[in-house]
Amino acid sequence: MRRIVYCFYSGGGLVGGHKMILRHVETLRDLGFDAVAYTGKTNTIPAWFEHRAPIVVAGPVNPARDQLVLPDDAVNTMRQMSATGHRPVIFVQNHYAFAAGPMEMVDLYPPQRAPHFLGVSEAIGGMLRRLYPQATVEIVPAFADERVFRPAAAKGPGVAASPRKRPLEADVIRNLLGALHSRHAELPWRILKDASERETAQAFGEASLFLSLSRLEGLGMTPLEAMASGCVCAGFTGVAGRDYATADNGFWVGENDCEAATEALAQAADLVAAGGAPLNHHLDAGFETARTWSYAAFREGLEETWMRLAPDARIRNGPLD
């Protein structure tokens, strides 16, 4: 029997990729796979979201028995494993970050032991297949967790925004909206900085609008979470968000075009203020998009993928914990 070991190395900050790693582990265990997470003794366990994944801290890991899953930023571990006789799975959640550095580590592996790849979107899968046409590339779509993200009982006017990846653009768009569209100058803003998952879900659930500040994404989950929460979205797709962005589910603009994003947000705010059938149509399209990227779909895809990659890691057809 193999054990599936997802490695991650956290400094304690808000990194969406760490959440997805631990969601993989806890869901695999729910499905009966022997799966754990591993981190080093100098790393910090993320505390900004709740999870049930068992985490081994600097404990014994045996690549001869364990199937190691390495995060796309684990340059040192990738290098170390290239010198062993073992084949890791590299979990790529952002193909841009991967191409910026860790990608060169793959060249250290001999062809007969080239890593397998696991991605979270077709945008990532497309690039990996171009780079490594002989490699096994599996896609398990990330998800907007419908167990957490949903509309609040009562929504109010307001824009939710998470400016971590585009702080300058966030300020520009907010200031331009008030200056160019005085009818929205008093619109409340909910700026999310280092917010927990629960705090983010509450803000999205209560807000009527979401300003998307996605940038160079592997997928871009926050707009999907906002759609699941009943927000009208406007702003940037982060490129990979084109996988789900449509004219029906958001007011999307070209990357870095802050003036266009301001106009898009104003149009979204007008739609919310007017209400009625056009607003309901837009919200329904957002809900339908979010359902496509649901936890239920993720769970099914995760099971199918690991039954191909490591069927012997499945201990039973049911939860382990």
Side-chain angles (χ1 to χ4, degrees):
M1 286 288 185
R2 267 195 290 180
R3 183 176 64 162
I4 302 168
V5 180
Y6 277 74
C7 302
F8 75 105
Y9 307 102
S10 171
L14 195 158
V15 179
H18 295 160
K19 179 173 75 169
M20 195 54 56
I21 286 170
L22 295 179
R23 293 285 183 253
H24 272 233
V25 171
E26 66 182 15
T27 303
L28 282 170
R29 294 187 67 83
D30 286 346
L31 292 165
F33 290 84
D34 186 3
V36 298
Y38 170 89
T39 195
K41 62 183 179 181
T42 61
N43 296 110
T44 303
I45 305 300
W48 57 274
F49 63 96
E50 299 174 5
H51 68 87
R52 296 177 286 103
I55 300 176
V56 176
V57 179
V61 172
N62 181 4
R65 185 181 74 88
D66 298 328
Q67 176 58 70
L68 265 60
V69 183
L70 306 183
D72 54 15
D73 60 352
V75 175
N76 291 334
T77 310
M78 288 182 204
R79 182 185 293 110
Q80 291 165 5
M81 282 206 70
S82 70
T84 71
H86 308 292
R87 168 183 279 162
V89 173
I90 299 179
F91 189 16
V92 181
Q93 299 193 63
N94 189 304
H95 49 316
Y96 300 114
F98 176 67
M103 182 179 72
E104 65 183 4
M105 293 297 106
V106 177
D107 294 336
L108 299 177
Y109 291 78
Q112 69 274 18
R113 199 165 45 79
H116 296 318
F117 293 94
L118 179 61
V120 299
S121 71
E122 285 303 326
I124 292 172
M127 179 179 283
L128 291 174
R129 292 184 186 107
R130 288 186 64 196
L131 288 167
Y132 311 109
Q134 305 305 318
T136 296
V137 177
E138 297 279 0
I139 300 300
V140 178
F143 62 97
D145 198 337
E146 64 269 27
R147 303 168 300 175
V148 178
F149 291 91
R150 61 180 69 90
K155 276 187 171 284
V159 183
S162 179
R164 181 168 59 93
K165 294 186 176 181
R166 291 185 181 270
L168 173 63
E169 293 91 327
D171 289 340
V172 169
I173 294 166
R174 182 175 183 177
N175 291 340
L176 285 179
L177 183 69
L180 298 175
H181 301 280
S182 58
R183 64 192 180 281
H184 300 310
E186 301 303 318
L187 199 62
W189 284 72
R190 300 166 183 258
I191 302 298
L192 301 170
K193 294 182 178 180
D194 300 321
S196 69
E197 183 181 51
R198 288 288 176 185
E199 292 168 339
T200 300
Q202 180 179 354
F204 286 2
E206 294 173 351
S208 56
L209 296 156
F210 172 72
L211 173 61
S212 178
L213 297 166
S214 299
R215 180 177 181 273
L216 295 178
E217 303 286 356
L219 176 61
M221 289 308 305
T222 50
L224 289 168
E225 292 167 347
M227 290 181 203
S229 304
C231 294
V232 176
C233 298
F236 309 114
T237 67
V239 183
R242 295 170 186 165
D243 278 4
Y244 56 76
T246 71
D248 287 328
N249 64 27
F251 294 81
W252 309 106
V253 302
E255 298 302 295
N256 304 320
D257 192 338
C258 290
E259 289 186 62
T262 302
E263 296 307 311
L265 184 58
Q267 292 174 21
D270 288 340
L271 180 69
V272 169
L279 173 60
N280 291 334
H281 172 80
H282 196 96
L283 292 174
D284 286 344
F287 288 134
E288 184 59 33
T289 301
R291 280 191 289 271
T292 302
W293 299 83
S294 67
Y295 174 75
F298 155 80
R299 181 183 171 108
E300 181 179 344
L302 187 70
E303 180 179 19
E304 292 175 353
T305 293
W306 279 105
M307 284 301 292
R308 288 190 292 270
L309 290 177
D312 55 333
R314 193 168 204 174
I315 297 173
R316 64 170 66 99
N317 290 321
L320 297 186
D321 303 311

